[in-house]
Amino acid sequence: MPDLTSKINVTFDFAGRQLRRLIETYPDYLPMYTVNGKWKHGGESWTNWCEGFLGGQLWLMYQHTGESYWREKAEHYSRLIAHRKDDRDVHDLGFLFWSTWKRWYDMTGDPAVNDVVVHAGRTLSLRFKEKGQYLRSFVSDESLFIDIMMNVGIIFYAAQHTDDAAMLRKATQHCQTTRKYLVRGDGSTSHEGIFDTETGAFLRQSTHQGWRADSSWARGLAWALYGFGTAYSFTHDARLLQTAEACANFYIERTPAPGVPPNDWDEPDPARPYESSAAAIAASGLLDLAKLTGNPARARLYRDYALRILDTLTGPEFLAIETPGWEGILKHGMYHERKGLGVDESVMWGEHFFLEALSKV
Ligand code: GLY
């Protein structure tokens, strides 16, 4: 795909300019979403889960260019979040440390850097609820989020590095509980599960960022597609691969031809047609899944579909390159529509997984 290759190079050049401007204009600022295309504003964050995605992009820029400027900034922005390895308030330590310190370790093999990754994984495992067998969300003890599937990988990693069977059990059980209660027969996913904290019984499906409790929030499904694939790569449990593929098939069947879903597939006549961050996450997850599935036809399908998404996202409707004054890279992302946060804007995780997917290509 020679055209996509040149679009990828244009996108990385553009991303480099946008990122350099961001970190030089607002040093040490860790944004989450833009407002009218601007990163600096006083909008609320709801929860603090995005602080690794800027550092993650800086590592990807270093990987792509080999320039010491990016390496130095990537280390700096990783150090800025080191204290979060002890954060017991969020379920997002995978997002924070896999994007930053894990990439740092992969590039250097420095055991002190790896210790931070393992430490963060151990902290995250402390969220496990024996009653219900899941890692609780940031919201409350009774709440399980589909998003946690993107974070549980760091617990598998920490458990395998330290040979900790108890930690491994927590990660494994979390995946099985999520698979049982949040993934439906058609491969769609629910955002949240609510449990009885006394008995551990599952009570109902629910949502915060989707349309309805029984609908299909696109980003949640993209987290599941990617996260179950990652969990399979640690465990080789065929059930997890099967679940990742069910989610992938749902995404492919239900999304319009260019590959970008709305915020929720089931919402009738959504006010905005796109949730580009879900597409970026799905593209990155599908590229992994193409390597994980043992089926050559499905491998081709997943890779071709991921390339189609990336061809769309590097085009003029989504890439902000032709939008003067826009500070992000990828337009038409969505954070929390009901709360009015980051609606039709650039979002930090969208930028991160977009660059990650392009770097995999
Ligand atoms: N809280 C994670 C998300 O918005 O996808």
Side-chain angles (χ1 to χ4, degrees), residues 46-47 49 91-92 95 145 147 209 217 219 223 335 349:
W46 185 41
T47 171
W49 63 288
H91 56 246
D92 305 295
F95 284 135
F145 270 25
D147 321 28
Q209 286 148 285
W217 174 48
R219 191 163 64 256
W223 293 141
Y335 179 27
W349 61 94

Side-chain angles (χ1 to χ4, degrees), residues 3 7 9 27 47 53 58 86 90 104 112 160 171 187 197 221 225 231 238 260 297 329 332 343 351 357:
D3 189 36
K7 286 167 90 178
N9 288 327
T47 171
F53 294 132
L58 300 174
D86 291 305
V90 298
W104 188 354
Q160 289 182 357
T197 53
L221 183 125
L225 178 170
V260 183
I329 300 162
H332 303 311
V343 177
E351 319 274 86

Side-chain angles (χ1 to χ4, degrees), residues 1-314:
M1 230 189 213
D3 189 36
L4 182 58
T5 305
S6 71
K7 286 167 90 178
I8 290 173
N9 288 327
V10 167
T11 302
F12 266 100
D13 285 349
F14 173 59
R17 293 197 295 280
Q18 298 296 76
L19 285 164
R20 193 183 272 260
R21 189 175 310 123
L22 170 61
I23 61 181
E24 291 181 359
T25 310
Y26 308 116
D28 295 355
Y29 178 55
L30 298 171
M32 188 181 244
Y33 57 87
T34 60
V35 171
N36 297 321
K38 308 290 185 202
W39 287 119
K40 187 85 173 175
H41 54 79
E44 72 158 287
S45 35
W46 185 41
T47 171
N48 300 308
W49 63 288
C50 290
E51 292 73 17
F53 294 132
L54 179 50
Q57 289 175 75
L58 300 174
W59 282 112
L60 289 165
M61 286 306 302
Y62 173 58
Q63 208 175 56
H64 186 75
T65 63
E67 291 169 12
S68 58
Y69 172 85
W70 296 114
R71 167 70 191 266
E72 195 189 301
K73 297 295 181 192
E75 281 195 26
H76 175 75
Y77 276 80
S78 300
R79 287 190 204 285
L80 282 184
I81 63 163
H83 62 286
R84 299 286 299 278
K85 68 184 185 304
D86 291 305
D87 188 338
R88 301 282 305 271
D89 293 333
V90 298
H91 56 246
D92 305 295
L93 297 189
F95 284 135
L96 272 88
F97 287 89
W98 207 253
S99 327
T100 51
W101 288 75
K102 174 63 164 49
R103 283 203 174 101
W104 188 354
Y105 174 63
D106 287 344
M107 285 188 206
T108 60
D110 180 346
V113 172
N114 198 41
D115 287 348
V116 175
V117 182
V118 170
H119 187 114
R122 184 174 296 286
T123 302
L124 186 61
S125 74
L126 302 176
R127 305 187 73 76
F128 190 72
K129 307 300 297 176
E130 288 297 338
K131 295 257 175 71
Q133 301 282 294
Y134 59 89
L135 298 155
R136 57 154 286 183
S137 85
F138 84 96
V139 171
S140 63
D141 275 354
E142 65 175 8
S143 161
L144 159 67
F145 270 25
I146 193 73
D147 321 28
I148 301 171
M149 278 310 302
M150 271 301 274
N151 291 279
V152 70
I154 199 170
I155 303 182
F156 281 118
Y157 180 80
Q160 289 182 357
H161 264 263
T162 54
D163 218 4
D164 185 330
M167 202 179 351
L168 188 63
R169 180 187 65 86
K170 290 177 181 176
T172 303
Q173 286 307 114
H174 175 83
C175 295
Q176 295 302 339
T177 304
T178 305
R179 180 172 175 271
K180 182 169 175 183
Y181 295 117
L182 298 194
V183 185
R184 308 185 184 114
D186 62 356
S188 71
T189 53
S190 166
H191 183 182
E192 186 183 32
I194 303 293
F195 290 74
D196 181 326
T197 53
E198 296 291 313
T199 64
F202 174 72
L203 299 177
R204 64 181 181 279
Q205 296 186 344
S206 173
T207 192
H208 294 262
Q209 286 148 285
W211 178 54
R212 272 189 352 197
D214 61 346
S215 71
S216 310
W217 174 48
R219 191 163 64 256
L221 183 125
W223 293 141
L225 178 170
Y226 194 149
F228 276 104
T230 304
Y232 171 71
S233 70
F234 281 108
T235 59
H236 305 291
D237 178 340
R239 293 170 297 178
L240 302 180
L241 177 63
Q242 200 181 42
T243 303
E245 295 203 48
C247 295
N249 294 338
F250 183 90
Y251 186 104
I252 292 169
E253 276 167 24
R254 290 289 300 274
T255 304
V260 183
N263 187 59
D264 192 308
W265 280 283
D266 295 323
E267 183 177 358
D269 303 318
R272 290 162 198 83
Y274 304 125
E275 205 298 74
S276 62
S277 78
I281 296 156
S284 195
L286 285 167
L287 289 168
D288 286 358
L289 212 45
K291 293 190 175 157
L292 294 170
T293 181
N295 179 308
R298 289 208 293 273
R300 255 194 319 279
L301 170 69
Y302 299 150
R303 184 172 168 83
D304 288 352
Y305 196 90
L307 297 183
R308 184 199 301 181
I309 293 174
L310 294 175
D311 191 49
T312 301
L313 297 185
T314 50

